[in-house]
Amino acid sequence: MAQFQVVEKFVSINGEARRAGELAVFIRFKGCNLHCAYCDTKWANQKDAPFTIMTEDEIYDYIHETGVRNVTLTGGEPLLREHMDELLEKLLSDPFLRVEIETNGSVDLTPFAKMKQRPSFTMDYKLGYSGMEAKMCLSNFSLLTKEDTVKFVVGSVSDMEKAVKVIDKYQLLNRVAIYFSPVFGAIEPEVMVNFLVEHKLNDVRMQLQLHKFIWNPEKKGV
């Protein structure tokens, strides 16, 4: 049976994206292939990060026991984990669950987008502030649907200007949900709102990471 290195599992609210403010059960997997400048879970990507080995059945049983419908698989980068397709098949076979994967935009989504039942993707596009923009898998844009989300984490006005170019080039408006999220402490939300107004960015949402306002921004397990 497939086994996974899980560094965190907890119930909280979704801090961002479509179901912000709703209860969600989070499963955080160890390891990532990127090193974003603003990463707030670097600890989970270290070789010596503590983890628990869990099988797909144990993960499913934990989720089921919480009684929470929204499931967020995150990391690190969950789609790099071996046998993730098997875990997804098990979770998605339960009609009660709504399964979302947070992915960093560098991993080819093709194998997962072609599943008979597929999860909802919340996919980052890493902008200049991250230092990882060259790692983006641009072919993923053609695989996304109205059930999916593209998240631009922005640290500057130039990041937002590049995000607009990406939105236009790949015709993302009305195809996916689009969110602008500030790098915490790097850019004022008011600056972002003014940018949205100036550029008349209808159907683009600005979001704040709710969990960083409710709890200490460094707090784990929330």
Side-chain angles (χ1 to χ4, degrees):
M1 181 169 288
Q3 296 183 326
F4 301 88
Q5 295 180 350
V6 176
V7 294
E8 274 192 315
K9 62 184 192 299
F10 58 92
V11 172
S12 185
I13 59 163
N14 260 315
E16 51 192 329
R18 290 179 185 237
R19 297 193 176 277
E22 293 186 20
L23 283 178
V25 53
F26 291 82
I27 308 293
R28 186 182 305 282
F29 299 92
K30 180 179 178 178
C32 190
N33 59 322
L34 300 185
H35 305 280
C36 297
Y38 50 73
C39 180
D40 54 8
T41 54
K42 287 182 180 179
W43 63 270
N45 306 326
Q46 303 300 318
K47 289 184 178 181
D48 61 352
F51 61 86
T52 301
I53 293 291
M54 297 184 71
T55 66
E56 59 195 76
D57 285 347
E58 289 171 333
I59 291 173
Y60 173 78
D61 289 345
Y62 168 75
I63 291 170
H64 182 71
E65 288 166 4
T66 69
V68 174
R69 188 173 190 184
N70 295 322
V71 179
T72 299
L73 305 181
T74 188
E77 174 46 63
L79 294 183
L80 289 176
R81 307 285 69 85
E82 192 174 4
H83 304 298
M84 183 55 65
D85 56 335
E86 297 173 26
L87 174 60
L88 284 171
E89 285 176 359
K90 185 169 188 65
L91 299 182
L92 291 165
S93 68
D94 185 336
F96 176 74
L97 300 179
R98 294 186 291 231
V99 182
E100 169 201 16
I101 283 199
E102 294 185 338
T103 180
N104 65 25
S106 71
V107 179
D108 183 6
L109 299 183
T110 302
F112 307 98
K114 289 185 176 180
M115 294 177 67
K116 185 175 181 180
Q117 290 180 287
R118 71 191 284 279
S120 169
F121 298 107
T122 295
M123 189 186 84
D124 284 4
Y125 181 89
K126 303 297 185 184
L127 295 158
Y129 196 97
S130 73
M132 294 288 120
E133 189 171 7
K135 303 289 187 180
M136 295 298 91
C137 180
L138 300 177
S139 60
N140 283 338
F141 285 124
S142 65
L143 301 172
L144 301 178
T145 72
K146 287 185 178 293
E147 301 301 314
D148 303 316
T149 298
V150 174
K151 181 176 68 175
F152 296 95
V153 180
V154 305
S156 65
V157 171
S158 62
D159 272 355
M160 289 188 287
E161 290 170 344
K162 180 58 184 289
V164 171
K165 291 179 181 178
V166 172
I167 291 167
D168 290 343
K169 181 175 181 179
Y170 295 97
Q171 299 180 320
L172 298 180
L173 283 175
N174 302 315
R175 282 210 305 116
V176 298
I178 301 170
Y179 286 82
F180 282 11
S181 183
V183 177
F184 192 79
I187 186 170
E188 289 298 325
E190 182 179 355
V191 173
M192 296 177 64
V193 173
N194 290 339
F195 183 91
L196 295 178
V197 172
E198 179 183 351
H199 291 78
K200 300 179 175 59
L201 291 180
N202 294 300
D203 301 315
V204 173
R205 299 173 176 89
M206 193 195 85
Q207 65 177 9
L208 302 176
Q209 294 174 294
L210 294 178
H211 51 288
K212 291 188 177 180
F213 291 89
I214 298 172
W215 297 280
N216 185 307
E218 305 299 322
K219 186 176 176 63
K220 297 178 183 178
V222 294

